[in-house]
Amino acid sequence: MQASVRRLRGRHVPARLLLSLIAVLLLLPIAVTLLYAFFSPEEIRAYMGTRNRYTADSFMALRLIPETVSLMQFYRVLITDREILRYFINSVLYTAGILAGQLLALPALAYGLSCFRFRGRDALAFGIVLLMVLPFQVTMVPSVLTLRALNLLNTPWAIVLPMLSAPFFAFLLRQYMLGIPAEIIEAAQIDSAGPLKCFLRIVIPMSRPVLGTMAALSFAESWNLVEQPLTYLTSRSDLYPLSVAFGQLTRNMSGIEFAGAALFILPSLFVYLFFQEDIMEGIRVADLR
Amino acid sequence: MKRIALKGLLVLGGIVLLCVFFSGTLHTLSTAKVRTVSARTGRLETRVRLTGALHWPETEAVIPENMTGDDTLIVRRVNVSAGAWVLAGDCLAECEVADYDSRMAALKESFAGKEKEALELQWKNSGVRLTPQQEEWYAGYSRLRDAALAEQEALQTLRLRAWQAGVALEEDDSVPETLPDTEAAGLLVEARDVLEAARRETAEASRAFDSLSRYPIPEDVVNYLSKKSELEKELASLSARMADLQLLKERAAAVTAPHDGYVTAAETKAGDTVSRGGAVVWMTAEGAEPAVRLDASGARRTIPAGTAVTLSVGGKTADAAITGQGIAADGSLYADVRLRRGDIGLLGGAAAMTESGSVTAEIVLTAENATTLIPVSALRGAEGDYFIYVTRRENDSFRNEKITVVRKSVTVLGQSASAASLEESLRNEEIVYMEDRPLSEGCEVMPYSSGS
């Protein structure tokens, strides 16, 4: 493999250039966000004030070097303008709740649908696939009615509870667990291991790659919630996560948006780095199967 | 990579938690604290502080009566100081007549000489006997001679008064009918009346003498009688001068106050000499009231009579009112405050006021119209570009109130030490008048806590 990699280094230059260009374009917004987080708030306000003055003949100038490197944006985000911090805490709480709930419920659901045979199993699995296909807008109204009946509208549970039923992750886990050899489970059962013991001692350890994948993807989805808070928290703007409140805060152009965006990006970045190997392992194992 | 990511997450979480925990404290420390006040409507009161001194409008010199140009007093003791209140008859000073003994001796010697001369004359003319008619003739002659002398003196005085009044007399030394309304013209009129009286006396004496001209007496007798009359007059004059000198000595021994009043100046001291035209001490004229004369040059506006003023001397205060304003000889503006005896007592007495040398007055000048008033500490900027900071309150999504300051230009109509009068109406505005650090437009502020 190393030899093939060495051979690749000398070839496919155009392809590599094209891929590099695409990578730069994809990474440019993130890089600019992190870079502008070290501009002073006054400089950002002045610079962003010019964003509507460009024409079709001239582009808006892209500033890459600040006049003075300043941590004032971070200071205001973390200390003085505590609104962003409070919305950040909201996002953390929602994500943690959703992640914990999904990690408790979905592996067990997938285990039941994969390792047990009962009447209606396949129909249930098909129903999960069907739910996976439906967009949020279709299930929004029934969800609102249900939550209102349960008196959970405008509460944090309105965000967390509907997200616990993630059909895609359930499907993903089920498909992975279907690939676990039945002989391993039978061997455990011969050793007088019950279903729960098999689940905890065999299925969960063997499903670590896909569980890591699920956690990373679930984190990304929960961290970036927009529609659900706007739908279920209409009269409680103080319960919004940062993904929703950020749009409102940037309207005032207070000059601290980029530091807030950097703060928003960092948790996703760290989570991805943490689960990167599991994600790649999960994809690889799925490919081999 | 997992370790790096885990450490990064932990560090980020730690920073966020610390910021959540300490952000309130740091926010409080980094936010400017202000005090605000609402504008009120009123009339601007300007407190003007003036200084002045005790002023004696009318004074008179205290000196023994009947002093002549030759008399000089030597002060032995002064019993009063400036500012003292004295009653009529109080001994103000003790003096003695300079060269009293030598002068009295000279007068006595002159008197003795004249007396001896008169006795000798009488002895030489002891045989002269006058008939009643001759005595009558001589009396008429003496009367005519004295009337003529008096008429001459009155004429000289008339001419002097005319010159002093700037009036030209007629050829016959008569006074014109139209005269200026001056004091000198009044004296001229008096001199004219005296001259007319003297002329009438002369005419009468002349008529009387004419009727006696049939009783002539020899010339040597006339000379004797004239000489005798002259010596008698000189003896009378010397006697009067000795009496005056004696009287002056007694009066100088105790110089008393002619009436109740204040001693305005007592600058003489033991050993000083005082002559006619000078004064042992100065005191207020009878019925005159002292006043405090304030230097009103710094007031920059007229101070009407009746304006209340608070006077203070050495910590003592008294309330009075402005009684007048004027311009001094050097062109500076002054304001007078007449003092009653009670006011002087409240201020510690005229002596204390004179010793202090300075009287402080505080006057409250009130504007005519009501305007918007704010504390002067709320006013910022320079003349022509004044502005204030007003607060704006906003609520964020978490119902936290955020207070920011907004700059607002104003027009200043007037200013005192404590308040400023503005043209704008600032109703419902909270104006920042005190802060613990410099402010800028849009910066967040928080109200001072009561500390409880």
Side-chain angles (χ1 to χ4, degrees), chain A residues 75 78-80 82-83 86-89 237-238 267 270 273-274 278, chain B residues 2 5 8-9 12 16 19-20 23-24 26-27 30 396-398 400:
Chain A
Y75 177 79
L78 295 173
I79 303 296
T80 57
R82 290 166 292 168
E83 268 187 293
R86 295 185 70 170
Y87 290 127
F88 182 85
I89 300 292
S237 59
D238 58 319
F270 288 134
L273 286 176
F274 187 82
D278 294 326
Chain B
K2 280 196 175 184
L9 270 175
L12 182 64
V16 170
C19 289
V20 169
S23 63
L26 291 171
H27 178 254
S30 63
D396 62 13
S397 305
F398 300 94
N400 293 324

PDB file of all heavy atoms in Angstrom, chain A residues 75 78-80 82-83 86-89 237-238 267 270 273-274 278, chain B residues 2 5 8-9 12 16 19-20 23-24 26-27 30 396-398 400:
ATOM      1  N   TYR A  75     -13.665  38.100  24.731  1.00  0.00           N
ATOM      2  CA  TYR A  75     -13.945  38.667  26.045  1.00  0.00           C
ATOM      3  C   TYR A  75     -15.412  39.046  26.164  1.00  0.00           C
ATOM      4  O   TYR A  75     -16.086  38.769  27.150  1.00  0.00           O
ATOM      5  CB  TYR A  75     -13.057  39.890  26.263  1.00  0.00           C
ATOM      6  CG  TYR A  75     -13.321  40.606  27.567  1.00  0.00           C
ATOM      7  CD1 TYR A  75     -12.814  40.117  28.759  1.00  0.00           C
ATOM      8  CD2 TYR A  75     -14.096  41.773  27.613  1.00  0.00           C
ATOM      9  CE1 TYR A  75     -13.064  40.767  29.957  1.00  0.00           C
ATOM     10  CE2 TYR A  75     -14.338  42.419  28.791  1.00  0.00           C
ATOM     11  CZ  TYR A  75     -13.822  41.913  29.963  1.00  0.00           C
ATOM     12  OH  TYR A  75     -14.074  42.559  31.142  1.00  0.00           O
ATOM     13  N   LEU A  78     -17.616  35.796  26.175  1.00  0.00           N
ATOM     14  CA  LEU A  78     -17.542  34.962  27.382  1.00  0.00           C
ATOM     15  C   LEU A  78     -17.843  35.727  28.664  1.00  0.00           C
ATOM     16  O   LEU A  78     -18.264  35.125  29.649  1.00  0.00           O
ATOM     17  CB  LEU A  78     -16.136  34.351  27.491  1.00  0.00           C
ATOM     18  CG  LEU A  78     -15.764  33.357  26.380  1.00  0.00           C
ATOM     19  CD1 LEU A  78     -14.305  32.961  26.502  1.00  0.00           C
ATOM     20  CD2 LEU A  78     -16.660  32.128  26.432  1.00  0.00           C
ATOM     21  N   ILE A  79     -17.622  37.038  28.665  1.00  0.00           N
ATOM     22  CA  ILE A  79     -17.730  37.776  29.927  1.00  0.00           C
ATOM     23  C   ILE A  79     -18.864  38.784  29.896  1.00  0.00           C
ATOM     24  O   ILE A  79     -19.776  38.740  30.729  1.00  0.00           O
ATOM     25  CB  ILE A  79     -16.407  38.507  30.249  1.00  0.00           C
ATOM     26  CG1 ILE A  79     -15.244  37.524  30.299  1.00  0.00           C
ATOM     27  CG2 ILE A  79     -16.528  39.289  31.552  1.00  0.00           C
ATOM     28  CD1 ILE A  79     -15.343  36.513  31.401  1.00  0.00           C
ATOM     29  N   THR A  80     -18.834  39.705  28.985  1.00  0.00           N
ATOM     30  CA  THR A  80     -19.762  40.836  29.066  1.00  0.00           C
ATOM     31  C   THR A  80     -21.101  40.520  28.413  1.00  0.00           C
ATOM     32  O   THR A  80     -22.138  40.642  29.057  1.00  0.00           O
ATOM     33  CB  THR A  80     -19.147  42.095  28.433  1.00  0.00           C
ATOM     34  OG1 THR A  80     -18.797  41.798  27.075  1.00  0.00           O
ATOM     35  CG2 THR A  80     -17.904  42.511  29.186  1.00  0.00           C
ATOM     36  N   ARG A  82     -23.309  38.063  27.870  1.00  0.00           N
ATOM     37  CA  ARG A  82     -23.457  36.661  28.275  1.00  0.00           C
ATOM     38  C   ARG A  82     -24.603  35.961  27.588  1.00  0.00           C
ATOM     39  O   ARG A  82     -24.865  34.786  27.851  1.00  0.00           O
ATOM     40  CB  ARG A  82     -23.668  36.619  29.780  1.00  0.00           C
ATOM     41  CG  ARG A  82     -22.398  37.005  30.535  1.00  0.00           C
ATOM     42  CD  ARG A  82     -22.702  37.287  31.973  1.00  0.00           C
ATOM     43  NE  ARG A  82     -23.498  38.496  32.121  1.00  0.00           N
ATOM     44  CZ  ARG A  82     -24.091  38.853  33.248  1.00  0.00           C
ATOM     45  NH1 ARG A  82     -24.021  38.099  34.312  1.00  0.00           N
ATOM     46  NH2 ARG A  82     -24.795  39.974  33.327  1.00  0.00           N
ATOM     47  N   GLU A  83     -25.283  36.662  26.726  1.00  0.00           N
ATOM     48  CA  GLU A  83     -26.384  36.025  25.999  1.00  0.00           C
ATOM     49  C   GLU A  83     -25.898  34.829  25.210  1.00  0.00           C
ATOM     50  O   GLU A  83     -26.496  33.753  25.262  1.00  0.00           O
ATOM     51  CB  GLU A  83     -27.012  37.037  25.037  1.00  0.00           C
ATOM     52  CG  GLU A  83     -28.161  37.801  25.623  1.00  0.00           C
ATOM     53  CD  GLU A  83     -28.823  38.649  24.585  1.00  0.00           C
ATOM     54  OE1 GLU A  83     -28.192  39.599  24.106  1.00  0.00           O
ATOM     55  OE2 GLU A  83     -29.973  38.361  24.253  1.00  0.00           O
ATOM     56  N   ARG A  86     -25.183  31.849  27.318  1.00  0.00           N
ATOM     57  CA  ARG A  86     -26.380  31.167  27.815  1.00  0.00           C
ATOM     58  C   ARG A  86     -27.039  30.339  26.726  1.00  0.00           C
ATOM     59  O   ARG A  86     -27.540  29.233  26.978  1.00  0.00           O
ATOM     60  CB  ARG A  86     -27.358  32.192  28.378  1.00  0.00           C
ATOM     61  CG  ARG A  86     -26.800  32.884  29.604  1.00  0.00           C
ATOM     62  CD  ARG A  86     -27.774  33.813  30.264  1.00  0.00           C
ATOM     63  NE  ARG A  86     -28.859  33.073  30.897  1.00  0.00           N
ATOM     64  CZ  ARG A  86     -29.753  33.622  31.714  1.00  0.00           C
ATOM     65  NH1 ARG A  86     -29.691  34.890  31.983  1.00  0.00           N
ATOM     66  NH2 ARG A  86     -30.719  32.907  32.249  1.00  0.00           N
ATOM     67  N   TYR A  87     -27.048  30.841  25.525  1.00  0.00           N
ATOM     68  CA  TYR A  87     -27.575  30.028  24.432  1.00  0.00           C
ATOM     69  C   TYR A  87     -26.681  28.818  24.176  1.00  0.00           C
ATOM     70  O   TYR A  87     -27.155  27.730  23.810  1.00  0.00           O
ATOM     71  CB  TYR A  87     -27.707  30.863  23.152  1.00  0.00           C
ATOM     72  CG  TYR A  87     -28.800  31.905  23.200  1.00  0.00           C
ATOM     73  CD1 TYR A  87     -28.530  33.227  22.902  1.00  0.00           C
ATOM     74  CD2 TYR A  87     -30.097  31.554  23.554  1.00  0.00           C
ATOM     75  CE1 TYR A  87     -29.532  34.181  22.949  1.00  0.00           C
ATOM     76  CE2 TYR A  87     -31.092  32.498  23.611  1.00  0.00           C
ATOM     77  CZ  TYR A  87     -30.805  33.822  23.306  1.00  0.00           C
ATOM     78  OH  TYR A  87     -31.790  34.769  23.358  1.00  0.00           O
ATOM     79  N   PHE A  88     -25.398  29.000  24.349  1.00  0.00           N
ATOM     80  CA  PHE A  88     -24.453  27.894  24.193  1.00  0.00           C
ATOM     81  C   PHE A  88     -24.760  26.802  25.221  1.00  0.00           C
ATOM     82  O   PHE A  88     -24.749  25.603  24.907  1.00  0.00           O
ATOM     83  CB  PHE A  88     -23.025  28.424  24.370  1.00  0.00           C
ATOM     84  CG  PHE A  88     -21.948  27.401  24.195  1.00  0.00           C
ATOM     85  CD1 PHE A  88     -21.456  27.085  22.944  1.00  0.00           C
ATOM     86  CD2 PHE A  88     -21.423  26.725  25.296  1.00  0.00           C
ATOM     87  CE1 PHE A  88     -20.461  26.148  22.788  1.00  0.00           C
ATOM     88  CE2 PHE A  88     -20.442  25.790  25.142  1.00  0.00           C
ATOM     89  CZ  PHE A  88     -19.950  25.489  23.893  1.00  0.00           C
ATOM     90  N   ILE A  89     -25.021  27.199  26.435  1.00  0.00           N
ATOM     91  CA  ILE A  89     -25.381  26.226  27.476  1.00  0.00           C
ATOM     92  C   ILE A  89     -26.654  25.497  27.097  1.00  0.00           C
ATOM     93  O   ILE A  89     -26.785  24.275  27.284  1.00  0.00           O
ATOM     94  CB  ILE A  89     -25.567  26.933  28.826  1.00  0.00           C
ATOM     95  CG1 ILE A  89     -24.277  27.636  29.250  1.00  0.00           C
ATOM     96  CG2 ILE A  89     -26.034  25.979  29.901  1.00  0.00           C
ATOM     97  CD1 ILE A  89     -23.160  26.706  29.602  1.00  0.00           C
ATOM     98  N   SER A 237     -38.093  32.397  23.934  1.00  0.00           N
ATOM     99  CA  SER A 237     -36.851  32.613  23.194  1.00  0.00           C
ATOM    100  C   SER A 237     -35.630  32.394  24.084  1.00  0.00           C
ATOM    101  O   SER A 237     -34.516  32.204  23.591  1.00  0.00           O
ATOM    102  CB  SER A 237     -36.826  34.016  22.593  1.00  0.00           C
ATOM    103  OG  SER A 237     -36.932  34.986  23.615  1.00  0.00           O
ATOM    104  N   ASP A 238     -35.809  32.436  25.394  1.00  0.00           N
ATOM    105  CA  ASP A 238     -34.664  32.210  26.279  1.00  0.00           C
ATOM    106  C   ASP A 238     -34.236  30.754  26.301  1.00  0.00           C
ATOM    107  O   ASP A 238     -33.158  30.416  26.785  1.00  0.00           O
ATOM    108  CB  ASP A 238     -35.002  32.665  27.706  1.00  0.00           C
ATOM    109  CG  ASP A 238     -36.206  31.941  28.250  1.00  0.00           C
ATOM    110  OD1 ASP A 238     -37.166  31.759  27.488  1.00  0.00           O
ATOM    111  OD2 ASP A 238     -36.209  31.558  29.436  1.00  0.00           O
ATOM    112  N   PRO A 267     -16.969  22.701  19.565  1.00  0.00           N
ATOM    113  CA  PRO A 267     -17.442  21.409  20.075  1.00  0.00           C
ATOM    114  C   PRO A 267     -17.631  20.372  18.965  1.00  0.00           C
ATOM    115  O   PRO A 267     -17.257  19.198  19.108  1.00  0.00           O
ATOM    116  CB  PRO A 267     -18.767  21.746  20.754  1.00  0.00           C
ATOM    117  CG  PRO A 267     -18.648  23.185  21.117  1.00  0.00           C
ATOM    118  CD  PRO A 267     -17.866  23.797  20.022  1.00  0.00           C
ATOM    119  N   PHE A 270     -14.219  19.056  17.950  1.00  0.00           N
ATOM    120  CA  PHE A 270     -13.627  18.124  18.919  1.00  0.00           C
ATOM    121  C   PHE A 270     -14.355  16.793  18.911  1.00  0.00           C
ATOM    122  O   PHE A 270     -13.741  15.706  19.009  1.00  0.00           O
ATOM    123  CB  PHE A 270     -13.667  18.733  20.325  1.00  0.00           C
ATOM    124  CG  PHE A 270     -12.694  19.856  20.515  1.00  0.00           C
ATOM    125  CD1 PHE A 270     -13.085  21.037  21.127  1.00  0.00           C
ATOM    126  CD2 PHE A 270     -11.387  19.746  20.090  1.00  0.00           C
ATOM    127  CE1 PHE A 270     -12.194  22.069  21.296  1.00  0.00           C
ATOM    128  CE2 PHE A 270     -10.502  20.778  20.247  1.00  0.00           C
ATOM    129  CZ  PHE A 270     -10.901  21.951  20.855  1.00  0.00           C
ATOM    130  N   LEU A 273     -13.254  14.863  15.891  1.00  0.00           N
ATOM    131  CA  LEU A 273     -11.910  14.324  16.089  1.00  0.00           C
ATOM    132  C   LEU A 273     -11.925  13.117  17.021  1.00  0.00           C
ATOM    133  O   LEU A 273     -11.177  12.155  16.831  1.00  0.00           O
ATOM    134  CB  LEU A 273     -10.998  15.409  16.661  1.00  0.00           C
ATOM    135  CG  LEU A 273     -10.565  16.513  15.675  1.00  0.00           C
ATOM    136  CD1 LEU A 273      -9.742  17.577  16.393  1.00  0.00           C
ATOM    137  CD2 LEU A 273      -9.789  15.935  14.499  1.00  0.00           C
ATOM    138  N   PHE A 274     -12.787  13.169  18.008  1.00  0.00           N
ATOM    139  CA  PHE A 274     -12.848  12.062  18.969  1.00  0.00           C
ATOM    140  C   PHE A 274     -13.380  10.795  18.322  1.00  0.00           C
ATOM    141  O   PHE A 274     -12.894   9.689  18.580  1.00  0.00           O
ATOM    142  CB  PHE A 274     -13.712  12.489  20.165  1.00  0.00           C
ATOM    143  CG  PHE A 274     -13.711  11.509  21.281  1.00  0.00           C
ATOM    144  CD1 PHE A 274     -12.685  11.494  22.206  1.00  0.00           C
ATOM    145  CD2 PHE A 274     -14.746  10.572  21.416  1.00  0.00           C
ATOM    146  CE1 PHE A 274     -12.672  10.586  23.255  1.00  0.00           C
ATOM    147  CE2 PHE A 274     -14.735   9.671  22.468  1.00  0.00           C
ATOM    148  CZ  PHE A 274     -13.698   9.668  23.376  1.00  0.00           C
ATOM    149  N   ASP A 278     -13.710   5.877  14.787  1.00  0.00           N
ATOM    150  CA  ASP A 278     -14.893   5.015  14.810  1.00  0.00           C
ATOM    151  C   ASP A 278     -15.719   5.195  13.551  1.00  0.00           C
ATOM    152  O   ASP A 278     -16.264   4.228  12.995  1.00  0.00           O
ATOM    153  CB  ASP A 278     -15.751   5.337  16.033  1.00  0.00           C
ATOM    154  CG  ASP A 278     -15.037   4.970  17.314  1.00  0.00           C
ATOM    155  OD1 ASP A 278     -14.289   3.974  17.300  1.00  0.00           O
ATOM    156  OD2 ASP A 278     -15.214   5.696  18.323  1.00  0.00           O
TER     157      ASP A 278
ATOM    158  N   LYS B   2      -7.798  11.006  19.803  1.00  0.00           N
ATOM    159  CA  LYS B   2      -8.907  10.988  20.759  1.00  0.00           C
ATOM    160  C   LYS B   2      -8.537  11.747  22.016  1.00  0.00           C
ATOM    161  O   LYS B   2      -9.354  12.476  22.585  1.00  0.00           O
ATOM    162  CB  LYS B   2      -9.273   9.537  21.106  1.00  0.00           C
ATOM    163  CG  LYS B   2     -10.140   8.870  20.070  1.00  0.00           C
ATOM    164  CD  LYS B   2     -10.777   7.610  20.619  1.00  0.00           C
ATOM    165  CE  LYS B   2     -11.723   7.042  19.592  1.00  0.00           C
ATOM    166  NZ  LYS B   2     -12.444   5.862  20.103  1.00  0.00           N
ATOM    167  N   ALA B   5      -8.709  15.431  21.269  1.00  0.00           N
ATOM    168  CA  ALA B   5     -10.109  15.876  21.196  1.00  0.00           C
ATOM    169  C   ALA B   5     -10.731  15.910  22.583  1.00  0.00           C
ATOM    170  O   ALA B   5     -11.468  16.854  22.931  1.00  0.00           O
ATOM    171  CB  ALA B   5     -10.903  14.946  20.290  1.00  0.00           C
ATOM    172  N   GLY B   8      -9.362  18.830  24.434  1.00  0.00           N
ATOM    173  CA  GLY B   8      -9.947  20.057  23.914  1.00  0.00           C
ATOM    174  C   GLY B   8     -11.357  20.269  24.429  1.00  0.00           C
ATOM    175  O   GLY B   8     -11.725  21.384  24.829  1.00  0.00           O
ATOM    176  N   LEU B   9     -12.130  19.179  24.461  1.00  0.00           N
ATOM    177  CA  LEU B   9     -13.509  19.295  24.962  1.00  0.00           C
ATOM    178  C   LEU B   9     -13.516  19.669  26.434  1.00  0.00           C
ATOM    179  O   LEU B   9     -14.305  20.509  26.869  1.00  0.00           O
ATOM    180  CB  LEU B   9     -14.240  17.967  24.763  1.00  0.00           C
ATOM    181  CG  LEU B   9     -14.982  17.817  23.426  1.00  0.00           C
ATOM    182  CD1 LEU B   9     -15.552  16.414  23.310  1.00  0.00           C
ATOM    183  CD2 LEU B   9     -16.068  18.851  23.262  1.00  0.00           C
ATOM    184  N   LEU B  12     -12.436  23.319  26.798  1.00  0.00           N
ATOM    185  CA  LEU B  12     -13.528  24.208  26.368  1.00  0.00           C
ATOM    186  C   LEU B  12     -14.638  24.229  27.416  1.00  0.00           C
ATOM    187  O   LEU B  12     -15.183  25.284  27.760  1.00  0.00           O
ATOM    188  CB  LEU B  12     -14.069  23.735  25.029  1.00  0.00           C
ATOM    189  CG  LEU B  12     -15.192  24.582  24.425  1.00  0.00           C
ATOM    190  CD1 LEU B  12     -14.687  25.979  24.097  1.00  0.00           C
ATOM    191  CD2 LEU B  12     -15.753  23.912  23.170  1.00  0.00           C
ATOM    192  N   VAL B  16     -15.834  27.435  29.585  1.00  0.00           N
ATOM    193  CA  VAL B  16     -17.241  27.874  29.574  1.00  0.00           C
ATOM    194  C   VAL B  16     -17.801  27.896  30.993  1.00  0.00           C
ATOM    195  O   VAL B  16     -18.481  28.845  31.394  1.00  0.00           O
ATOM    196  CB  VAL B  16     -18.074  26.957  28.669  1.00  0.00           C
ATOM    197  CG1 VAL B  16     -19.549  27.234  28.846  1.00  0.00           C
ATOM    198  CG2 VAL B  16     -17.683  27.137  27.203  1.00  0.00           C
ATOM    199  N   CYS B  19     -16.345  30.801  32.885  1.00  0.00           N
ATOM    200  CA  CYS B  19     -16.930  32.066  32.418  1.00  0.00           C
ATOM    201  C   CYS B  19     -18.355  32.215  32.935  1.00  0.00           C
ATOM    202  O   CYS B  19     -18.761  33.303  33.331  1.00  0.00           O
ATOM    203  CB  CYS B  19     -16.910  32.121  30.890  1.00  0.00           C
ATOM    204  SG  CYS B  19     -15.259  32.323  30.235  1.00  0.00           S
ATOM    205  N   VAL B  20     -19.098  31.107  32.923  1.00  0.00           N
ATOM    206  CA  VAL B  20     -20.460  31.180  33.447  1.00  0.00           C
ATOM    207  C   VAL B  20     -20.431  31.546  34.927  1.00  0.00           C
ATOM    208  O   VAL B  20     -21.229  32.351  35.404  1.00  0.00           O
ATOM    209  CB  VAL B  20     -21.191  29.848  33.227  1.00  0.00           C
ATOM    210  CG1 VAL B  20     -22.501  29.817  34.003  1.00  0.00           C
ATOM    211  CG2 VAL B  20     -21.471  29.633  31.753  1.00  0.00           C
ATOM    212  N   SER B  23     -18.559  35.236  35.098  1.00  0.00           N
ATOM    213  CA  SER B  23     -18.896  36.299  34.148  1.00  0.00           C
ATOM    214  C   SER B  23     -19.697  37.407  34.809  1.00  0.00           C
ATOM    215  O   SER B  23     -19.517  38.584  34.484  1.00  0.00           O
ATOM    216  CB  SER B  23     -19.686  35.725  32.970  1.00  0.00           C
ATOM    217  OG  SER B  23     -20.917  35.194  33.434  1.00  0.00           O
ATOM    218  N   GLY B  24     -20.555  37.015  35.753  1.00  0.00           N
ATOM    219  CA  GLY B  24     -21.331  38.053  36.410  1.00  0.00           C
ATOM    220  C   GLY B  24     -20.436  39.027  37.164  1.00  0.00           C
ATOM    221  O   GLY B  24     -20.584  40.246  37.056  1.00  0.00           O
ATOM    222  N   LEU B  26     -17.170  39.521  36.719  1.00  0.00           N
ATOM    223  CA  LEU B  26     -16.322  40.268  35.784  1.00  0.00           C
ATOM    224  C   LEU B  26     -17.131  41.308  35.030  1.00  0.00           C
ATOM    225  O   LEU B  26     -16.655  42.409  34.744  1.00  0.00           O
ATOM    226  CB  LEU B  26     -15.665  39.294  34.800  1.00  0.00           C
ATOM    227  CG  LEU B  26     -14.610  38.377  35.406  1.00  0.00           C
ATOM    228  CD1 LEU B  26     -14.177  37.315  34.421  1.00  0.00           C
ATOM    229  CD2 LEU B  26     -13.417  39.185  35.887  1.00  0.00           C
ATOM    230  N   HIS B  27     -18.365  40.954  34.693  1.00  0.00           N
ATOM    231  CA  HIS B  27     -19.215  41.919  34.006  1.00  0.00           C
ATOM    232  C   HIS B  27     -19.485  43.121  34.888  1.00  0.00           C
ATOM    233  O   HIS B  27     -19.451  44.265  34.432  1.00  0.00           O
ATOM    234  CB  HIS B  27     -20.533  41.244  33.611  1.00  0.00           C
ATOM    235  CG  HIS B  27     -21.508  42.169  32.935  1.00  0.00           C
ATOM    236  ND1 HIS B  27     -22.630  42.664  33.563  1.00  0.00           N
ATOM    237  CD2 HIS B  27     -21.517  42.694  31.699  1.00  0.00           C
ATOM    238  CE1 HIS B  27     -23.288  43.445  32.735  1.00  0.00           C
ATOM    239  NE2 HIS B  27     -22.631  43.480  31.592  1.00  0.00           N
ATOM    240  N   SER B  30     -16.323  45.236  35.030  1.00  0.00           N
ATOM    241  CA  SER B  30     -15.933  45.898  33.781  1.00  0.00           C
ATOM    242  C   SER B  30     -16.973  46.860  33.261  1.00  0.00           C
ATOM    243  O   SER B  30     -16.726  47.562  32.287  1.00  0.00           O
ATOM    244  CB  SER B  30     -15.647  44.842  32.709  1.00  0.00           C
ATOM    245  OG  SER B  30     -16.817  44.104  32.438  1.00  0.00           O
ATOM    246  N   ASP B 396     -33.032  41.647  26.924  1.00  0.00           N
ATOM    247  CA  ASP B 396     -32.636  40.594  26.005  1.00  0.00           C
ATOM    248  C   ASP B 396     -33.614  39.428  26.140  1.00  0.00           C
ATOM    249  O   ASP B 396     -34.626  39.516  26.848  1.00  0.00           O
ATOM    250  CB  ASP B 396     -31.195  40.167  26.271  1.00  0.00           C
ATOM    251  CG  ASP B 396     -31.007  39.604  27.669  1.00  0.00           C
ATOM    252  OD1 ASP B 396     -32.034  39.316  28.344  1.00  0.00           O
ATOM    253  OD2 ASP B 396     -29.861  39.466  28.106  1.00  0.00           O
ATOM    254  N   SER B 397     -33.282  38.346  25.454  1.00  0.00           N
ATOM    255  CA  SER B 397     -34.203  37.204  25.446  1.00  0.00           C
ATOM    256  C   SER B 397     -34.388  36.615  26.821  1.00  0.00           C
ATOM    257  O   SER B 397     -35.387  35.955  27.089  1.00  0.00           O
ATOM    258  CB  SER B 397     -33.669  36.130  24.503  1.00  0.00           C
ATOM    259  OG  SER B 397     -33.447  36.667  23.231  1.00  0.00           O
ATOM    260  N   PHE B 398     -33.407  36.814  27.690  1.00  0.00           N
ATOM    261  CA  PHE B 398     -33.497  36.243  29.029  1.00  0.00           C
ATOM    262  C   PHE B 398     -34.077  37.246  30.014  1.00  0.00           C
ATOM    263  O   PHE B 398     -33.932  37.089  31.226  1.00  0.00           O
ATOM    264  CB  PHE B 398     -32.103  35.804  29.498  1.00  0.00           C
ATOM    265  CG  PHE B 398     -31.503  34.765  28.596  1.00  0.00           C
ATOM    266  CD1 PHE B 398     -30.664  35.125  27.574  1.00  0.00           C
ATOM    267  CD2 PHE B 398     -31.806  33.424  28.765  1.00  0.00           C
ATOM    268  CE1 PHE B 398     -30.124  34.171  26.727  1.00  0.00           C
ATOM    269  CE2 PHE B 398     -31.266  32.463  27.936  1.00  0.00           C
ATOM    270  CZ  PHE B 398     -30.424  32.841  26.910  1.00  0.00           C
ATOM    271  N   ASN B 400     -33.087  40.019  30.756  1.00  0.00           N
ATOM    272  CA  ASN B 400     -32.074  40.774  31.476  1.00  0.00           C
ATOM    273  C   ASN B 400     -32.050  42.185  30.906  1.00  0.00           C
ATOM    274  O   ASN B 400     -31.977  42.367  29.691  1.00  0.00           O
ATOM    275  CB  ASN B 400     -30.696  40.135  31.323  1.00  0.00           C
ATOM    276  CG  ASN B 400     -30.640  38.795  32.000  1.00  0.00           C
ATOM    277  OD1 ASN B 400     -31.257  38.599  33.051  1.00  0.00           O
ATOM    278  ND2 ASN B 400     -29.944  37.859  31.409  1.00  0.00           N
TER     279      ASN B 400
END
